[in-house]
Amino acid sequence: MEQYPEVRPGPPAYAVDPPEPGGRTVIQEQAVAKVAAAAARAVPGVHSLGSAPSRTLGAIRDAVGADHAAGVRAEAGETQAAVDITLVAKYGMPLQKLADDVRAAVYRAVEEYTGLTVIEVNVEIADVFIGESRPGDARQPEPPVAPRSAGPAGIEVL
């Protein structure tokens, strides 16, 4: 009687292991900065990114095309990244806690989305947004009252 070879489970004999991935990936600093900016903006207590002059320039940039990385500078190498963030905090937030929360969010996002190891995240709080009156706000200051003048015989005229 003819003997057949034993069949074992596993990949077929003709299967070839896939080749090791080749090539290289370059993640530009602008991409890292945008990921970091999005993560920082999502942290409660961050009013905006950038300092006052950069926010003014950012408003102009927004009018012609959004700059999603304003207030963020990143350095990226083949395996590591470092990020500097300048922000404006909302009034009432403990600033050190806000900086720690922003730092943690940026570490997580950059490492998750880029695969780079973040070696440092520097946070600069350039200003605190207290709130400003805008037309239509209930908190708008009262209009100035016309000065009073004295009428005849010391009678005050309103």
Side-chain angles (χ1 to χ4, degrees), residues 1 9 13-14 18 24 47 58 63-64 77-78 88 90 115 121 136 141 143 145 147 155-156:
M1 202 161 165
Y14 59 83
R24 76 177 208 180
H47 173 69
V64 294
E78 289 183 24
V88 175
K90 291 180 183 174
V121 175
V145 177
I155 299 174
E156 197 171 278

Side-chain angles (χ1 to χ4, degrees), residues 55-78:
R55 287 193 321 269
T56 303
L57 289 174
I60 295 168
R61 280 190 221 109
D62 284 346
V64 294
D67 180 10
H68 298 288
V72 179
R73 191 172 84 63
E75 294 178 20
E78 289 183 24

Side-chain angles (χ1 to χ4, degrees), residues 42-149:
V43 174
V46 173
H47 173 69
S48 63
L49 297 182
S51 60
S54 72
R55 287 193 321 269
T56 303
L57 289 174
I60 295 168
R61 280 190 221 109
D62 284 346
V64 294
D67 180 10
H68 298 288
V72 179
R73 191 172 84 63
E75 294 178 20
E78 289 183 24
T79 60
Q80 296 179 329
V83 179
D84 296 328
I85 296 179
T86 303
L87 63 86
V88 175
K90 291 180 183 174
Y91 178 76
M93 296 300 299
L95 300 182
Q96 190 62 52
K97 181 180 180 335
L98 177 62
D100 291 343
D101 291 348
V102 167
R103 187 174 292 109
V106 170
Y107 266 98
R108 274 192 309 272
V110 171
E111 288 186 351
E112 179 180 343
Y113 294 123
T114 68
L116 299 173
T117 300
V118 178
I119 56 172
E120 70 179 355
V121 175
N122 299 308
V123 178
E124 178 183 342
I125 300 176
D127 201 355
V128 175
F129 179 77
I130 295 177
E132 298 165 3
S133 296
R134 296 181 193 136
D137 277 356
R139 296 176 293 159
Q140 192 168 5
E142 296 292 322
V145 177
R148 298 177 178 194
S149 63

